[in-house]
């Protein structure tokens, strides 16, 4: 389906980013076993890689994070999510690999890294290590963090140090 949508919109693979959400990764609780996990990896891995895309005159580095780590007791804990240490190591490696090759960096993930101001279930839907994740993004000079999950519209600027630029979270 993702490929069909991309083709219909005239988008090349390098313009499409797909990140897993709690339902994508962990439907095995509903009896479909490891097939969904394998199918996600098999069909979507090519869209779940960091890449640089040209947007007008800017080189934009898109970095997708898998925030489904540690989501085990669906549906009770799957709404929170977490970025694993392994994901952070991959991110640091990509920062070294792409250093100086981009003008803007956008991070994409599923779960809310910060509490949503209009949502009263933040203890259920905010990433378990969201503060540490956002601190790392701020220190890394990330320009924009995009996420979804509950689809509550909000935006904020985050800055974890006086000498750092703001990171926008939407």
């Amino acid at each position: 389906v993702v490929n069909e949508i991309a083709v219909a919109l005239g988008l090349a693979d390098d313009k499409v980013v797909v990140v897993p959400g709690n339902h994508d990764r962990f439907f095995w609780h509903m009896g479909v076993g490891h097939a969904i996990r394998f199918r996600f990896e098999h069909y979507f891995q090519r869209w779940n890689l960091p890449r640089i895309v040209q947007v007008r005159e800017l080189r934009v580095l898109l970095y997708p994070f898998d925030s489904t780590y540690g989501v085990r007791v669906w549906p009770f804990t799957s709404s929170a999510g977490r970025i694993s240490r392994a994901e952070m190591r991959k991110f640091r490696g990509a920062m070294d690999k792409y250093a100086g090759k981009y003008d803007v960096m956008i991070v994409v993930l599923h779960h809310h890294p910060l509490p949503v101001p209009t949502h009263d279930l933040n203890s259920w839907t905010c990433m378990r290590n969201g503060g540490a994740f956002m601190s790392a993004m701020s220190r890394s000079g990330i320009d924009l963090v995009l996420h979804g999950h509950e689809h509550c519209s909000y935006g904020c600027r985050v800055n974890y140090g006086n000498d750092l630029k703001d990171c926008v979270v939407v």
Side-chain angles (χ1 to χ4, degrees):
V1 172
V2 173
N3 192 47
E4 292 170 9
I5 293 170
V7 168
L9 293 173
L11 297 174
D13 279 358
D14 70 337
K15 302 282 197 253
V16 178
V17 175
V18 176
V19 294
N22 44 307
H23 295 277
D24 301 314
R25 285 286 194 179
F26 296 99
F27 263 146
W28 61 271
H29 286 284
M30 300 183 75
V32 291
H34 297 286
I36 292 293
R37 179 185 300 260
F38 171 76
R39 284 184 13 207
F40 180 87
E41 294 298 334
H42 179 74
Y43 292 111
F44 297 117
Q45 187 61 37
R46 71 180 183 188
W47 291 302
N48 194 31
L49 300 171
R51 84 269 328 243
I52 294 178
V53 298
Q54 193 73 30
V55 179
R56 296 195 177 123
E57 70 281 350
L58 296 174
R59 296 167 300 164
V60 178
L61 177 57
L62 295 173
Y63 192 92
F65 272 98
D66 180 355
S67 61
T68 63
Y69 180 81
V71 178
R72 301 190 190 274
V73 186
W74 191 86
F76 303 107
T77 63
S78 68
S79 292
R82 185 171 156 240
I83 301 295
S84 70
R85 289 184 178 142
E87 282 285 305
M88 289 306 297
R89 279 193 300 276
K90 285 185 351 188
F91 171 74
R92 286 190 295 275
M95 292 298 292
D96 292 340
K97 176 182 176 181
Y98 292 107
K101 298 179 182 175
Y102 61 88
D103 302 306
V104 175
M105 185 163 183
I106 299 174
V107 164
V108 183
L109 67 154
H110 177 72
H111 291 89
H112 302 298
L114 299 173
V116 178
T118 59
H119 201 311
D120 61 352
L121 297 174
N122 281 306
S123 62
W124 286 86
T125 62
C126 190
M127 278 176 30
R128 297 201 189 300
N129 61 344
F133 171 77
M134 284 308 306
S135 177
M137 297 302 100
S138 176
R139 287 191 319 274
S140 298
I142 303 307
D143 298 290
L144 179 63
V145 174
L146 299 174
H147 65 90
H149 194 53
E150 293 289 332
H151 311 280
C152 301
S153 298
Y154 81 99
C156 66
R157 293 184 310 175
V158 176
N159 185 321
Y160 283 88
N162 293 335
D163 58 339
L164 301 173
K165 68 179 183 176
D166 288 353
C167 175
V168 177
V169 181
V170 178

